[in-house]
Amino acid sequence: MQEFDTPVVDDHLHLDPDHGRGLEAVKDFARSGGTHLLVVNKPSWLLGHEVETGADFRPVFETTVEVVREATELLPGRAWPVLGVHPGLVSKLVDDRGFDPEAARDLMCAGLDTAAEFVREGDALALKSGRPHYEVTDAVWEASNAVLRRGLDLAADCDCALQLHTESTTDLSDVAEWADERGVPGERVVKHYAQGHLTGGTPSVMSDKDRLEDAAERGDPFLMETDFIDDPDRPGAVMGPKTVPRRVDWLLDEGRDDAVRNAHVETPALVYGVDTEATLDR
């Protein structure tokens, strides 16, 4: 088993205990030197839930909370749930189920309200929202931004971070302005699947070497992730659970100790208020 003299955090991955690798993926992560996970619930429709109300999201979130509890038992650190509504749901509702954009917006906001209950109760660390990364109509874009702003409202109310799935960009200044209007610190707006730098939030950098070199060179707060989707039908779709530990090993070999501390100790404390060293059992 690989071990490092540092916490090793994957900021965004999914675990599907019923249809995917589930805890076996956690074991791979830990054997490779990984210590901490932020586990984001899979999209509701991929877990077999056709939601009609905000309460219908609860079993989706409970599945993630339970697998996080089990994952923590396998890690030298711990795992935390990140709960919310995938922005792609708007298209499932509008295109596949005949919702108008406003009705889709309302249902997705209700799902975020349910997710926020878990954060308030201490059962989740952060929220997840966003907007489509693909072309949509103006009405769907407007509805999606309204959902994102609801996520910021709830992040302010819950005093937590908000992870975002958005279009490919290095500039989220518009979202940063909305966050500022609501009193959400800019660093608590986290763009998942990010490049190595970001204006208007904290980048959760996809762990390929070019992006990580960019982040390390800049020295700004950043996180590392794989976006492992735990879908046996798409085994090579994104990075596997061993990737972040392997990239930490590479960064250390490159003399990037400061970047490793930034991504795995300092930025998790800044963004989520967690102490990855104190929660490390070794």
Side-chain angles (χ1 to χ4, degrees), residues 13-18 22-23 26 37-44 47 49 57-72 78-85 115 118 123-126 128 230:
L13 89 168
H14 308 276
L15 295 174
D16 188 337
D18 297 320
L23 296 177
V26 178
L37 294 170
L38 274 75
V39 182
V40 184
N41 62 273
K42 290 189 74 170
S44 52
L47 291 178
H49 295 279
F57 288 89
R58 184 167 288 275
V60 176
F61 302 148
E62 288 172 343
T63 294
T64 300
V65 170
E66 179 56 31
V67 76
V68 162
R69 189 175 295 118
E70 295 172 349
T72 292
R78 61 159 298 173
W80 292 278
V82 176
L83 304 180
V85 179
F118 286 79
D123 293 325
L125 181 64
K128 155 77 183 292
D230 204 8

Side-chain angles (χ1 to χ4, degrees), residues 44-45 47-53 56 60 89 93 97 107:
S44 52
W45 65 91
L47 291 178
H49 295 279
E50 189 168 280
V51 293
E52 301 282 353
T53 68
D56 290 342
V60 176
L89 179 60
L93 295 173
R97 294 177 56 190
L107 177 54

Side-chain angles (χ1 to χ4, degrees), residues 247-263:
R247 293 294 187 259
V248 166
D249 195 26
W250 168 73
L251 285 167
L252 293 172
D253 284 346
E254 295 289 312
R256 299 286 196 176
D257 300 56
D258 288 349
V260 170
R261 183 166 184 83
N262 182 353

Side-chain angles (χ1 to χ4, degrees), residues 29-254:
F29 176 73
R31 281 191 292 261
S32 302
T35 62
H36 295 75
L37 294 170
L38 274 75
V39 182
V40 184
N41 62 273
K42 290 189 74 170
S44 52
W45 65 91
L46 292 180
L47 291 178
H49 295 279
E50 189 168 280
V51 293
E52 301 282 353
T53 68
D56 290 342
F57 288 89
R58 184 167 288 275
V60 176
F61 302 148
E62 288 172 343
T63 294
T64 300
V65 170
E66 179 56 31
V67 76
V68 162
R69 189 175 295 118
E70 295 172 349
T72 292
E73 297 299 315
L74 302 175
L75 293 169
R78 61 159 298 173
W80 292 278
V82 176
L83 304 180
V85 179
H86 193 285
L89 179 60
V90 70
S91 297
K92 296 288 181 182
L93 295 173
V94 172
D95 297 340
D96 298 347
R97 294 177 56 190
F99 280 61
D100 62 47
E102 293 75 19
R105 173 200 65 203
D106 292 347
L107 177 54
M108 294 170 72
C109 286
L112 284 173
D113 291 346
T114 300
E117 294 176 17
F118 286 79
V119 178
R120 292 190 191 99
E121 292 163 5
D123 293 325
L125 181 64
L127 295 169
K128 155 77 183 292
S129 185
R131 58 194 182 196
H133 63 275
Y134 47 86
E135 289 293 324
V136 294
T137 66
D138 289 347
V140 167
W141 184 251
E142 182 178 339
S144 298
N145 276 316
V147 175
L148 194 163
R149 288 190 292 268
R150 179 60 180 164
L152 289 169
D153 290 336
L154 293 167
D157 182 64
C158 295
D159 192 24
C160 73
L162 178 68
Q163 285 198 16
L164 295 179
H165 175 122
T166 76
E167 71 278 12
S168 179
T169 183
T170 58
D171 188 349
L172 285 179
S173 297
D174 58 340
V175 178
E177 290 178 7
W178 299 337
D180 185 61
E181 290 167 359
R182 290 158 174 80
V184 176
E187 63 270 12
R188 286 190 169 182
V189 176
V190 179
K191 176 169 172 46
H192 122 81
Y193 214 101
Q195 302 289 328
H197 62 284
L198 179 69
T199 299
T202 299
S204 185
V205 179
M206 280 296 285
S207 295
D208 67 59
K209 292 182 178 180
D210 288 343
R211 297 189 191 203
L212 292 175
E213 282 183 336
D214 183 16
E217 283 289 335
R218 291 172 183 272
D220 296 328
F222 77 100
L223 299 152
M224 290 172 59
E225 69 165 78
T226 58
D227 191 28
F228 175 65
I229 60 173
D230 204 8
D231 184 345
D233 294 330
R234 301 173 63 201
V238 287
M239 295 175 170
K242 300 177 184 178
T243 308
V244 167
R246 288 174 172 172
R247 293 294 187 259
V248 166
D249 195 26
W250 168 73
L251 285 167
L252 293 172
D253 284 346
E254 295 289 312

